[in-house]
Amino acid sequence: MALPVPTGPEPDLNGKGPKTAEPKGHKEDKALRQKLLGQIFEQLSDYCGTPKRSPMKGMQRFVTMVGFEGSDNEWKDEYKSLCKEWKVEPSKGFTQEAFNKMVDDSSPRGCYCTNEELKIILDKFLATPRVPQGTKVRKQAPAPPDRPPKKQKVEVQFQ
């Protein structure tokens, strides 16, 4: 199962509509591209709590943004396939270098994204609160209906 190849003038990050290869001869700002790739990879590794690595959950977060719509079980198989393709140890996860190569590769084996698409992906990551892997989010229980919520006593001292 190959990942979709996102490109074209209108970024398609929801997996809807056709995707075409980047036009030949189109020069993108390489410095900007490296910065965007670095920031996205940092988001992925921070999300998983694994500095300098993006394991399965981090990579799933990325590929979902570029059109992967499979189940968690399908993702496990796809992740193993990607790791084999890019010579990555599945238990350790992708390095920045392997991630960059995959996202820069416009062949069917890669997952090429234009700089514009990378900007959109980064913006979506930054807009989504990060919850480190393994962290449990607690919801505060509402006050019972027969009792009003407690009020805090505020003391003000004047000098």
Side-chain angles (χ1 to χ4, degrees):
M1 170 189 277
L3 293 174
V5 180
T7 56
E10 292 294 323
D12 177 17
L13 300 174
N14 294 318
K16 298 175 185 169
K19 295 177 182 170
T20 58
E22 181 67 20
K24 296 281 185 211
H26 185 267
K27 301 279 183 186
E28 291 197 286
D29 182 342
K30 289 185 181 187
L32 172 62
R33 183 171 189 78
Q34 291 307 306
K35 182 178 178 182
L36 290 168
L37 287 169
Q39 290 174 321
I40 289 170
F41 190 80
E42 182 180 329
Q43 291 290 313
L44 298 175
S45 63
D46 285 355
Y47 178 75
C48 296
T50 53
K52 300 184 182 183
R53 295 281 181 168
S54 182
M56 188 166 61
K57 279 290 181 194
M59 293 303 292
Q60 184 177 20
R61 188 173 185 219
F62 175 77
V63 299
T64 300
M65 290 275 189
V66 297
F68 181 79
E69 296 177 340
S71 68
D72 286 347
N73 284 334
E74 290 171 320
W75 169 241
K76 287 177 187 176
D77 293 338
E78 181 66 19
Y79 178 72
K80 289 175 189 173
S81 176
L82 284 174
C83 288
K84 184 177 181 181
E85 183 75 35
W86 295 100
K87 297 175 177 51
V88 170
E89 172 114 17
S91 63
K92 291 184 179 180
F94 276 68
T95 61
Q96 175 80 60
E97 181 183 5
F99 176 77
N100 288 8
K101 285 180 182 179
M102 183 183 80
V103 178
D104 284 341
D105 188 340
S106 60
S107 77
R109 82 179 207 147
C111 186
Y112 185 82
C113 295
T114 65
N115 284 359
E116 186 61 32
E117 289 166 332
L118 293 174
K119 287 178 195 174
I120 292 169
I121 290 167
L122 180 61
D123 287 346
K124 286 186 176 188
F125 283 167
L126 294 173
T128 306
R130 285 189 270 181
V131 178
Q133 187 174 6
T135 302
K136 294 183 180 179
V137 179
R138 293 183 184 173
K139 292 184 180 179
Q140 188 172 0
D146 59 333
R147 213 175 343 151
K150 292 181 181 179
K151 294 183 180 180
Q152 292 182 342
K153 183 177 179 182
V154 178
E155 293 183 24
V156 179
Q157 294 182 347
F158 294 97
Q159 295 182 356

